């Protein structure tokens, strides 16, 4: 290999956007003669990345210099103990990863782990710094997989919500500290500068003293308080691109440099006040925006924290001992004392009274029937009881809620993408406008270059697209936070946009319009053995009728290898439990509220049920219609049951005995006709229709598959929050359009004023930063809509 080729091979993979004076892996500055890497760890990490064929990471890298340097020692914990066994011989590991600062980092970690032959899934969340790894094999592999992430330059630790809160607190404190410095410096610089602006008869020596006093305060203020903008701007420059922080940084630095030049030559004015005021107002906007986002996530963090703590595990000998909730597994028996919070999901053998306010927002405690699923996070308001744990902490309802939120965070809405593209376009336009303004005044108007800098810098500052960039995200944060506090979980990044435009509502009946807790009617002709067998089969399903059978015979054991056919029933060998058609018998008018049990060589057994409409079903349907949505009922139940529900609630068109394919076909037909259907369903048989709809919603009692396919999940009891969610979504879209329109109008007016010299850097700083704060304050109105 030639020396030229060796040099090219030495620097090429990691040097895109990084000079030869920086480490080829982590980007930290190198000492003379140090070579291509700052340490042996970076050299090994670089070789690992290249060996995996992931060199593209260096072309998209946006991390701070030095942040990816691998630790000199391996993780100070045994990852094997954190692995949990899953189905089919799989293992699961959850870690908190320090150093995930951009999408490129997430891509590198996921791709490196995916290259391992036994890894089935690796997902990293940028917002939560949470890494989930699933593999097939021994638990000891957890140690190697954690070490692999460490070799890439990231630091790992056991994941917990407390760690994330500590990280966010540190970042928030740094931002507040910068704001305090900027505000203090701005006020003091303003005191000195006002004297110069109004002192027309001030002597030159007094004016020079004022200039240097302003410089003495302004220079360190600009240097320290501007770091939240300088760091991202420098990272963008190293990556070969421009961002909004670059425009802000250039404006601040140019204003400061111009002011220092004026102070040196004792010119009539300096603009240290403009630079410091710009920083103070922009930092205030960032603190406010961060507070909005933190408020929206705070309720989620508090829900996840409800899992932390100990539970009283009932041992085989009947004694109890306190153990961490994370160590409890499905099937264990725990004691829930009066006033205790349930850390896990489970069932009780008798009726209990629970306060569900922390998870659903309900203000009145609810009585839960024997065998009914008791959600984690609720509080026991009655006597102590024993609870059979249904799922471990990481597989429970609160963990599922967190996963839904992470899914929503990983996408971007249409308006957000439009605003982002416009903001990225603005950055080069800003620089072109500023350069043209400077040349126009200097060469065209014939003024000195110092005087030409004033309108150029003003145009650079005033055209900063910060207001446009946060116009839509700020609204979404406020709206999603308001909905979450009312028991509505927005599980898709585009859900609000689509919910606001929905014009046709399609509702399921059982579990959606009805309570979803049907009762088995007593029938002396049903043999007890048949009831026990049917309940054993029914334990494999979350269908409301199946759950009613389980409640009717809670002592029935679960059967293995039971297959559920969505919309039809259950089968175990030649035994079938389900609809009349599934069991091969003729349907009757009330077959929709019945289940049939067919056994070889045995008489057919019929189980009949009764279900009640939700108390708010009629009001919700009326509210949807008043919002301009056409409504129809689509159910798999019998004609008589569906007709009665449609009449009671005032729904117009209805269809009975609809199969899952019928529901999906109806949604497809509506969309083909130009409608934008909102599908509301709760069962496995609704999943296809929910996924195909323009927007979809699932009630709190919906199955996991239905909730995973839905854009909106109603966590409270009933459907009353759905019309509220539609009103908030429409209001949010109107506010987003207002913000975009205001930002564009602001630039149309402000840019020409700055270019023609009517705006000083100080006025430009105040006006530009104030426009961003106006956008944020307007976004806060998204959550003010009352039900």
């Amino acid at each position: 290999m030639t020396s030229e080729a060796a040099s090219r091979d030495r620097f090429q993979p990691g040097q895109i956007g990084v000079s030869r004076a920086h480490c080829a892996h982590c980007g930290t500055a190198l000492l003379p003669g140090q070579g291509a890497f700052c340490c042996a760890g970076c050299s090994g990490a670089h070789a690992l990345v290249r060996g995996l064929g992931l060199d593209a990471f260096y072309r998209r890298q946006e991390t701070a210099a030095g942040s990816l340097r691998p630790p000199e020692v391996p993780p100070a914990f045994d990852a094997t103990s954190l692995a949990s066994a899953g189905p089919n011989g799989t293992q699961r590991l959850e870690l908190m990863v320090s150093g995930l600062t951009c999408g490129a980092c997430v891509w590198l970690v996921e791709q490196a782990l995916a290259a391992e032959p036994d890894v089935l899934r690796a997902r990293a969340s940028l917002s939560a710094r949470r890494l989930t790894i699933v593999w097939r094999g021994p638990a000891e592999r957890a140690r190697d997989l954690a070490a692999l992430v460490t070799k890439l330059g990231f630091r790992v630790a056991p994941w917990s919500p407390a760690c994330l809160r500590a990280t966010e607190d540190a970042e928030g404190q740094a931002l507040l500290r910068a704001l305090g410095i900027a505000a203090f410096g701005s006020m003091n610089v303003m005191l000195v500068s006002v004297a110069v602006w109004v002192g027309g008869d001030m002597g030159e020596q007094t004016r020079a003293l004022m200039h240097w006093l302003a410089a003495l305060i302004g220079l360190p203020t600009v240097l320290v308080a501007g770091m939240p903008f300088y760091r991202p701007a420098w990272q963008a420059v190293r990556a070969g691109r421009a961002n909004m922080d670059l425009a802000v940084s250039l404006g601040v630095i140019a204003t400061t440099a111009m002011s220092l030049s004026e102070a040196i030559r004792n010119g009539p004015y300096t603009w240290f006040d403009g630079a410091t005021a710009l920083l103070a107002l922009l930092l205030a906007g960032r603190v406010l925006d961060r507070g909005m986002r933190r408020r929206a996530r705070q309720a989620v963090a508090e829900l996840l924290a409800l899992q932390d703590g100990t539970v009283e595990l009932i041992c085989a000998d009947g004694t109890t001992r306190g153990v961490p909730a994370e160590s409890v597994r499905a099937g264990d028996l725990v004691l829930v004392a009066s006033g205790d919070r349930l850390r896990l999901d489970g069932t009780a053998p008798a009726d209990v009274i629970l306060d569900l306010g922390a998870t659903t927002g309900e203000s009145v405690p609810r009585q839960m029937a024997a065998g009914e699923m008791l959600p984690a996070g609720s509080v026991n308001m009655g006597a102590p009881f024993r609870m059979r744990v249904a799922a471990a902490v990481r597989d429970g309802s609160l963990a599922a809620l967190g996963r839904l939120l992470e899914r929503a965070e990983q996408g971007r809405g249409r308006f957000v993408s439009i605003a982002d593209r416009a903001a990225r376009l603005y950055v080069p336009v800003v620089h072109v406008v500023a350069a043209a303004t400077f040349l126009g005044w200097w060469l065209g108007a014939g003024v000195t270059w110092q005087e030409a800098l004033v309108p150029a810098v003003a145009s650079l500052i005033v055209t900063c697209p910060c207001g446009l960039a946060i116009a839509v995200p700020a609204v979404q944060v406020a709206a999603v936070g308001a909905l979450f506090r009312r028991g509505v979980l927005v599980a898709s990044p585009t859900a609000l946009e689509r919910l606001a435009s929905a014009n046709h509502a399609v509702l399921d009946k059982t579990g959606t319009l009805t309570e979803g807790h049907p009762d088995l009617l007593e029938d002396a002709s049903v043999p007890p053995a048949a009831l026990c067998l049917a309940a054993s089969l029914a334990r494999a399903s979350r269908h409301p009728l199946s759950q009613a059978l389980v409640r009717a015979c809670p002592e029935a054991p679960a059967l293995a290898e039971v297959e559920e056919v969505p919309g039809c029933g259950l089968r175990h060998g030649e035994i079938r439990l389900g609809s009349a058609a599934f069991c091969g018998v003729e349907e009757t008018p009330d077959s929709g509220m019945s289940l049939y049990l067919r056994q070889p060589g045995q008489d057919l057994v019929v189980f009949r049920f009764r279900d009640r409409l939700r108390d708010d079903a009629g009001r919700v349907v009326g509210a949807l219609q008043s919002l301009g949505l056409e409504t129809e009922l689509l159910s798999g139940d019998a004609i008589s049951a569906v007709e009665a529900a449609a009449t009671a609630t005032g729904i117009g068109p209805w269809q009975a005995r609809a199969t899952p394919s019928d529901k999906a076909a109806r949604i497809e037909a509506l969309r083909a006709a130009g409608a934008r259907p909102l599908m509301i369903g709760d069962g496995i048989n609704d999943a296809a229709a929910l996924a195909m709809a323009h927007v979809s919603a699932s009630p709190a009692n919906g199955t996991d598959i239905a909730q995973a396919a839905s854009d909106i999940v109603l966590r409270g009891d009933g459907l009353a929050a759905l019309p509220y969610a539609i009103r908030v979504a429409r209001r949010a879209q109107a506010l987003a359009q207002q913000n975009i329109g205001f930002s564009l109008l602001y630039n149309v007016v402000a840019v020409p004023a700055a270019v023609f010299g009517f705006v000083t850097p100080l006025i430009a700083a105040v006006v530009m930063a104030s426009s961003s704060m106006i956008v944020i304050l307007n976004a806060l109105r998204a959550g003010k809509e009352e039900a």
Side-chain angles (χ1 to χ4, degrees):
M1 181 183 293
T2 64
S3 59
E4 181 181 356
S7 176
R8 183 170 61 249
D9 182 67
R10 179 182 181 186
F11 290 101
Q12 183 181 10
Q15 294 303 306
I16 298 177
V18 182
S19 69
R20 291 173 181 258
H22 294 80
C23 177
H25 177 68
C26 73
T28 191
L30 297 173
L31 298 174
Q34 198 170 3
F37 304 101
C38 62
C39 63
C42 282
S43 177
H46 188 274
L48 175 61
V49 173
R50 293 192 62 191
L52 293 171
L54 303 177
D55 298 31
F57 164 70
Y58 296 109
R59 293 191 292 272
R60 62 179 76 182
Q61 181 181 1
E62 300 176 15
T63 53
S67 63
L68 284 186
R69 184 180 302 173
E72 297 179 0
V73 294
F77 64 94
D78 184 9
T80 302
S81 61
L82 301 176
S84 61
N88 302 322
T90 60
Q91 301 285 339
R92 180 188 180 97
L93 176 66
E94 292 187 346
L95 299 172
M96 184 168 184
V97 185
S98 174
L100 290 179
T101 58
C102 64
C105 297
V106 173
W107 176 86
L108 177 63
V109 170
E110 292 182 347
Q111 294 298 317
L113 290 169
E116 295 294 309
D118 55 347
V119 173
L120 303 177
R121 183 167 61 91
R123 292 294 301 272
S125 171
L126 181 60
S127 59
R129 279 79 160 176
R130 184 179 188 174
L131 172 63
T132 302
I133 312 171
V134 179
W135 71 96
R136 180 174 285 110
E140 288 73 19
R141 276 286 286 159
R143 189 182 300 109
D144 299 331
L145 296 175
L148 174 61
V149 179
T150 302
K151 289 177 184 177
L152 293 173
F154 302 96
R155 292 162 176 80
V156 296
W159 188 89
S160 71
C163 293
L164 178 60
R165 288 194 294 270
T167 302
E168 290 185 340
D169 289 343
E171 295 174 354
Q173 288 173 3
L175 200 58
L176 283 173
R177 187 162 50 248
L179 173 60
I181 294 172
F184 177 81
S186 176
M187 289 185 293
N188 284 276
V189 170
M190 194 70 68
L191 288 175
V192 176
S193 300
V194 165
V196 178
W197 287 100
V198 301
D201 56 347
M202 181 179 294
E204 291 189 2
Q205 292 183 345
T206 304
R207 184 178 64 194
L209 175 63
M210 294 297 181
H211 286 342
W212 284 108
L213 283 175
L216 183 64
I217 303 171
L219 288 176
T221 299
V222 168
L223 176 64
V224 177
M227 284 300 173
F229 302 100
Y230 304 153
R231 289 194 187 97
W234 175 240
Q235 292 166 14
V237 171
R238 289 177 54 193
R241 60 181 181 83
N243 61 4
M244 291 178 295
D245 290 320
L246 178 60
V248 172
S249 300
L250 287 177
V252 171
I253 293 173
T255 304
T256 305
M258 179 177 63
S259 301
L260 185 61
S261 172
E262 290 299 292
I264 292 173
R265 75 183 190 94
N266 197 15
Y269 303 109
T270 60
W271 292 273
F272 291 109
D273 47 357
T276 54
L278 174 62
L279 286 176
L281 289 170
L282 282 180
L283 286 168
R286 287 204 172 182
V287 169
L288 181 58
D289 180 63
R290 183 183 180 85
M292 290 171 56
R293 297 179 185 275
R294 183 182 180 90
R295 184 181 178 188
R297 292 198 302 260
Q298 184 176 6
V300 182
E302 290 174 353
L303 280 178
L304 295 178
L306 296 179
Q307 302 174 112
D308 299 339
T310 61
V311 297
E312 292 295 318
L313 180 66
I314 300 177
C315 304
D317 58 1
T319 60
T320 62
R321 60 187 178 91
V323 297
E326 293 82 1
S327 65
V328 180
R329 297 293 178 259
D332 289 346
L333 199 61
V334 298
L335 177 66
V336 182
S338 179
D340 276 1
R341 187 177 297 279
L342 278 65
R343 307 290 178 184
L344 305 115
D345 302 298
T347 57
D351 293 357
V352 297
I353 300 177
L354 297 181
D355 179 4
L356 306 176
T359 55
T360 67
E362 298 178 42
S363 58
V364 179
R366 192 200 306 176
Q367 182 168 344
M368 313 293 288
E372 188 175 356
M373 186 61 64
L374 310 180
S378 53
V379 178
N380 179 21
M381 302 299 292
F385 64 90
R386 295 188 174 196
M387 184 180 75
R388 181 73 64 182
V389 177
V393 164
R394 68 190 61 205
D395 300 319
S397 58
L398 295 181
L401 177 62
R403 288 191 291 271
L404 283 173
L405 291 171
E406 287 182 9
R407 186 186 76 181
E409 288 180 356
Q410 289 169 358
R412 305 185 72 81
R414 179 172 59 91
F415 282 148
V416 176
S417 299
I418 292 174
D420 282 352
R421 288 195 297 270
R424 286 195 296 268
L425 178 64
Y426 264 38
V427 173
V429 171
V430 164
H431 299 156
V432 171
V433 169
T437 302
F438 173 74
L439 295 175
W441 281 94
W442 184 32
L443 301 179
V447 302
T448 63
W449 68 269
Q450 292 94 342
E451 294 175 313
L453 270 178
V454 176
V457 171
S459 65
L460 182 66
I461 294 174
V462 83
T463 55
C464 180
C466 295
L468 179 61
I470 64 176
V472 182
V475 173
Q476 288 191 328
V477 168
V480 170
L483 289 174
F484 191 91
R485 290 188 293 274
R486 289 294 299 271
V488 180
L489 172 62
V490 180
S492 169
T494 61
L496 289 181
E497 299 171 14
R498 290 182 281 120
L499 184 62
S501 62
N503 58 10
H504 195 108
V506 180
L507 295 94
D508 176 48
K509 186 184 77 69
T510 305
T512 303
L513 282 182
T514 63
E515 293 179 346
H517 299 289
D519 298 321
L520 177 65
L521 297 176
E522 294 185 5
D523 189 345
S525 64
V526 176
L531 175 59
C532 184
L533 176 60
S536 297
L537 287 167
R539 284 191 178 276
S541 172
R542 289 190 60 185
H543 190 279
L545 298 185
S546 296
Q547 294 299 305
L549 278 176
V550 175
R551 290 195 299 272
C553 188
E555 67 276 6
L559 288 179
E561 299 181 359
V562 177
E563 180 186 359
E564 181 170 13
V565 181
C568 297
L570 303 161
R571 61 187 169 201
H572 176 68
E574 297 183 6
I575 303 174
R576 291 197 173 198
L577 174 69
S579 65
F582 184 65
C583 294
V585 298
E586 185 178 352
E587 296 188 30
T588 60
D590 60 347
S591 295
M593 289 300 290
S594 302
L595 287 180
Y596 294 80
L597 176 65
R598 192 188 72 184
Q599 308 175 65
Q602 301 286 334
D603 293 335
L604 189 73
V605 179
V606 183
F607 302 95
R608 303 188 186 279
F609 303 87
R610 176 181 56 199
D611 196 6
R612 294 191 310 166
L613 285 174
R614 296 182 186 272
D615 294 336
D616 61 354
R619 294 194 301 272
V620 169
V621 171
L624 293 175
Q625 293 171 345
S626 67
L627 289 170
L629 279 76
E630 298 181 26
T631 57
E632 69 174 88
L633 184 58
L634 202 58
S635 175
D637 283 351
I639 296 176
S640 59
V642 177
E643 183 179 15
T647 303
T649 56
I651 296 180
W654 56 268
Q655 180 181 347
R657 295 187 179 132
T659 64
S661 58
D662 292 336
K663 294 183 178 183
R666 177 57 181 162
I667 294 296
E668 187 176 8
L670 286 171
R671 298 198 68 169
R676 296 181 293 275
L678 161 63
M679 176 67 194
I680 307 111
D682 73 311
I684 296 176
N685 57 334
D686 300 317
L690 289 167
M692 294 181 62
H694 177 70
V695 63
S696 54
S698 177
N701 61 324
T703 62
D704 293 339
I705 294 178
Q707 293 189 358
S710 298
D711 303 298
I712 304 291
V713 178
L714 308 175
R715 296 186 297 116
D717 189 29
L719 304 174
L722 185 58
Y724 169 76
I726 295 175
R727 290 196 297 270
V728 170
R730 291 179 178 179
R731 184 177 181 85
Q733 297 314 296
L735 290 174
Q737 293 173 8
Q738 289 176 15
N739 281 351
I740 292 177
F742 170 77
S743 299
L744 294 175
L745 179 62
Y746 153 79
N747 281 283
V748 168
V749 174
V751 172
V755 169
F756 289 107
F758 298 112
V759 178
T760 67
L762 173 61
I763 297 176
V766 174
V767 171
M768 189 276 289
S770 299
S771 70
S772 299
M773 299 190 70
I774 290 173
V775 165
I776 293 176
L777 293 174
N778 189 46
L780 288 174
R781 298 169 53 209
K784 300 300 183 182
E785 176 72 15
E786 297 296 334

